[in-house]
Amino acid sequence: MRKSVRHQMQQADPSSPPSCSSTSDCFPLSNTAQCGSAPSVEPEKRIVRANPPHLCRMPSIVSFYVCYLLCLGLSLACMVCVCLWNSRWRGGFAWDGSSLQFNWHPVLMVTGLIVLYGNGAVLYRIPLSWGHNKLPWKLLHATVMLLALVLSIVGLCAVFDYHNVGNTPNLYSLHSWIGFAATALFAIQWVVGLAGFLLPCSPASLRALLKPVHVWMGGSILWLSIAACISGINEKLFFVLGSVYAALPLEAVLANVLGVLIVAFGLVVLKILSNHEWQRPESGPEDLVYAPLHQEEHE
């Protein structure tokens, strides 16, 4: 009876506030708002977006390509000078044991030990190789270096055969010692690099041990090659010009310019190799060393 009377009183008084049967009925919008009050407004969140990594490195990439174009230009200039010198002033080329066969020696040594070697050394610094599978660039690096080594060996064969035909002693000058040492170290460097960085059986610990030695030895071979070419150019000018060298004829000017271009090319290559901002970025600890072929294929 009392419940019926109370129900009738609630229906008769519509102005009375409804009772809250649960917390969710009183707070439908917010846990902190009181029953019947407006919902709270959360403060706006400001999103700060960082610049993409390639945009942050854009000035460094631009400076690299300027330096790399200079490297290519010096490469072409060295090739033109050494070919022009031996074709116009030294009579051209042949393989008959004469002095024309000797002319292959400076052309092949400059092409192999300087131009191809230097350009092969900076392949990993090209930004186009960043963020991609390293295997194609490994193979390209090994192929360019192998071509440079073959040309260098053929250049040595040219001068050895020329000396043997003319009964001239081999390896008697400082130039020959430096050049032969550079070529021998280059051959050892290529074989060790193939075994340590490309063969599937090479362990990661061996690659980690060889990498700094490989990089240091590469720069040392380039310096030896530059020293051999400079001393060889000077020695050749003394042999063919004699006292006329002091008058600085046009042939001597061209040969001296060739020596300056070789030194400039070597300095640009070493600049590219020594700049840490132009090194290939590593994506993880597992990329700190070279991976062999069977690992690269799955990356």
Side-chain angles (χ1 to χ4, degrees), residues 87-118:
S87 61
R88 180 174 179 179
W89 278 277
R90 296 294 100 213
F93 306 94
W95 199 278
D96 54 3
S98 65
S99 60
L100 299 182
Q101 178 175 333
F102 180 89
N103 294 339
W104 283 112
H105 175 67
V107 172
L108 293 176
M109 301 308 283
V110 170
T111 303
L113 279 181
I114 300 296
V115 175
L116 287 179
Y117 186 91

Side-chain angles (χ1 to χ4, degrees), residues 107-157:
V107 172
L108 293 176
M109 301 308 283
V110 170
T111 303
L113 279 181
I114 300 296
V115 175
L116 287 179
Y117 186 91
N119 282 279
V122 301
L123 281 176
Y124 286 125
R125 299 297 194 271
I126 300 177
L128 291 177
S129 67
W130 299 353
H132 299 283
N133 189 356
K134 193 184 291 185
L135 177 59
W137 296 92
K138 277 187 177 183
L139 296 176
L140 181 60
H141 173 75
T143 302
V144 172
M145 290 303 192
L146 178 60
L147 180 59
L149 178 60
V150 170
L151 293 180
S152 303
I153 293 175
V154 175
L156 289 180
C157 292

Side-chain angles (χ1 to χ4, degrees), residues 143-241:
T143 302
V144 172
M145 290 303 192
L146 178 60
L147 180 59
L149 178 60
V150 170
L151 293 180
S152 303
I153 293 175
V154 175
L156 289 180
C157 292
V159 68
F160 285 161
D161 188 56
Y162 166 74
H163 284 170
N164 294 335
V165 171
N167 294 322
T168 303
N170 292 308
L171 299 176
Y172 66 90
S173 64
L174 180 60
H175 157 69
S176 61
W177 288 10
I178 297 175
F180 188 82
T183 307
L185 290 176
F186 186 13
I188 296 173
Q189 169 91 335
W190 194 89
V191 172
V192 173
L194 175 67
F197 300 132
L198 286 178
L199 294 185
C201 59
S202 60
S205 58
L206 177 62
R207 299 193 304 272
L209 179 64
L210 287 179
K211 184 176 180 180
V213 179
H214 188 76
V215 173
W216 174 81
M217 184 62 69
S220 301
I221 293 173
L222 181 60
W223 274 119
L224 287 175
S225 302
I226 293 173
C229 288
I230 297 302
S231 60
I233 292 171
N234 200 34
E235 182 179 288
K236 179 65 175 179
L237 289 176
F238 277 117
F239 283 163
V240 298
L241 296 180

Side-chain angles (χ1 to χ4, degrees), residues 80-93:
V80 170
C81 285
V82 70
C83 291
L84 181 61
W85 177 27
N86 288 276
S87 61
R88 180 174 179 179
W89 278 277
R90 296 294 100 213
F93 306 94

Side-chain angles (χ1 to χ4, degrees), residues 66-83:
V66 172
C67 198
Y68 185 61
L69 289 176
L70 179 61
C71 178
L72 294 178
L74 291 172
S75 301
L76 181 61
C78 290
M79 293 290 299
V80 170
C81 285
V82 70
C83 291

